[in-house]
Structures are given as C-alpha cells and as structure tokens.
Amino acid sequence: SAQRSRDHLFAPQDLGLLEGPDRDQWQKPDQIMDSLLIAEGSVVADLGAGGGWFTARLSARVGPNGVVYAEDIQPAMIEVIERRKVRENLRNVRPVLGTANDPRLPLGINAALIVDAYREMEIPPADPVVLLRRLALSLKPDGRVGVVDFNPGDGGPGPARDQRVDAEVVIKAAEAAGLELVAREPRINQFQFLLVFGRAPVVPVN
C-alpha cells in the first residue's frame, strides 16, 4: 500500500539512484554550503548521510582542519561511508551510527545538513522534534541547520509526490525543537527548497 511504501528507510542497494552524474549540476552543493556559512576548518554534520555523496563535498570544503560527522542510523550505510572514506582518502570524516531519535553528535557543531533525508526522520519510532532538539543542543550558539528537500509535485529526480516533505511541517517541528528559521530559499536549485535554522535565543526567566 502507499502508506507502507512511505514507512521504510532508504535501501542501501538503491544508493546508485542518489549518485547520478548530474547531481552536482542540479543540486548545487556549493550554494547550499555557502548558505550555511561552511568554511575551511568548520565542524559539520551530515545527518542521514546515506552513501556519503554530500559528506564527500563537505569534506573537501572544510579541509584538513575541519571535521565532518557522517551520521546515519543504518549500519549498512555506515559501512558504505567507511569504504568511501578509504577510497577517496577523506581523512576528516568521522562516521557516526545514530539512532532514530539521537544523532549522537558531539558538542561544538558549526553546521548540520539534512539533505533528502527528513522524510525518514518522520518514520516511527523516530520523532523529528526530539531528533532536532538533540541536534540543536550539539550546535555552537551561532550554529546552523540546513534542511534540503524536494518541492511538492512530481518533477525532477526526487521521490514520488506522496513521499515529499512539506516545508511548513519542517518549520513547525524545528521551532518546537528550539530552532528558528533564519533563511528560506524556496528554490536552492531546480527541484528543491532549503530551510536554514539557527538556535533560538534562550529567553531569560525573570
């Protein structure tokens, strides 16, 4: 059924679908990283990293003085990232096996990215508000979280219409988790939106 097809994690054997040769052209990874102020020496996290396509681009951007935590909740994906790390000599990448509600990241993250993976974070037992709250706690005070996903409709390389994420739903969950929307690009590329969140200021209790 459609509901059942919605409620499963991305299959490792389908990773080839994510690695199309044209992905660099349409996804615009550099513009996404620019929007999150990711620079040489940044400490960043790739949540739901899958096969590590974006992890590799983050690795190149932050350089030898930076760190990329490549987080996924599927051990098979972590194995793929470990192999990629060796094959592409990504010395600054640290694979992290998270859980549905805890990315298990250290403190001091400058920027975290959730690219094409938010939908999986809504599949029970995952609760995106709990996950995003834990992520917010890992951020530096001026840290940023970027959520990139496919615009509604059927166009382009993305998932079926009923498996797409509503940007407004993401914003509500992020706000409930203690994050605030600081930038919104309804079209960061031909097919996708980008939401950029920062840590909401803690209001002092008088």
Side-chain angles (χ1 to χ4, degrees):
S1 70
Q3 182 56 36
R4 182 165 176 78
S5 70
R6 224 192 121 89
D7 289 348
H8 68 275
L9 296 170
F10 192 88
Q13 62 267 29
D14 292 339
L15 277 172
L17 300 174
L18 304 180
E19 305 260 342
D22 61 342
R23 183 172 170 183
D24 262 305
Q25 291 169 321
W26 69 257
Q27 188 152 64
K28 309 256 188 284
D30 287 314
Q31 283 169 244
I32 292 169
M33 291 188 284
D34 290 347
S35 299
L36 288 165
L37 311 180
I38 294 170
E40 210 283 324
S42 292
V43 177
V44 299
D46 185 5
L47 273 72
W53 186 92
F54 222 108
T55 297
R57 278 132 190 95
L58 289 165
S59 172
R61 171 69 71 102
V62 304
N65 299 315
V67 179
V68 183
Y69 293 99
E71 185 269 354
D72 206 278
I73 67 172
Q74 297 190 73
M77 296 296 195
I78 297 297
E79 284 174 31
V80 172
I81 293 167
E82 292 277 12
R83 288 199 297 274
R84 184 177 209 135
K85 177 179 171 168
V86 172
R87 189 173 69 242
E88 299 181 21
N89 197 26
L90 308 177
R91 293 184 183 180
N92 54 6
V93 169
R94 313 265 184 281
V96 177
L97 182 64
T99 69
N101 284 316
D102 188 353
R104 292 182 170 160
L105 295 172
L107 302 177
I109 303 285
N110 295 112
L113 259 173
I114 300 172
V115 181
D116 312 341
Y118 188 87
R119 186 185 67 77
E120 300 194 4
M121 297 170 186
E122 297 179 314
I123 299 172
D127 178 340
V129 175
V130 175
L131 182 85
L132 290 169
R133 189 174 292 136
R134 293 205 167 112
L135 176 56
L137 293 171
S138 297
L139 292 177
K140 287 188 171 167
D142 61 350
R144 293 185 157 208
V145 176
V147 178
V148 177
D149 230 305
F150 289 92
N151 283 309
D154 284 320
R161 179 188 296 253
D162 69 335
Q163 298 199 8
R164 300 201 177 197
V165 173
D166 182 343
E168 299 303 327
V169 171
V170 179
I171 292 168
K172 276 203 184 76
E175 287 174 347
L179 294 166
E180 63 178 359
L181 187 67
V182 294
R184 181 173 190 171
E185 305 257 6
R187 283 204 172 281
I188 187 70
N189 58 49
Q190 193 180 343
F191 306 115
Q192 298 182 307
F193 63 82
L194 165 66
L195 304 173
V196 180
F197 300 97
R199 279 173 62 163
V202 178
V203 180
V205 179
N206 293 333

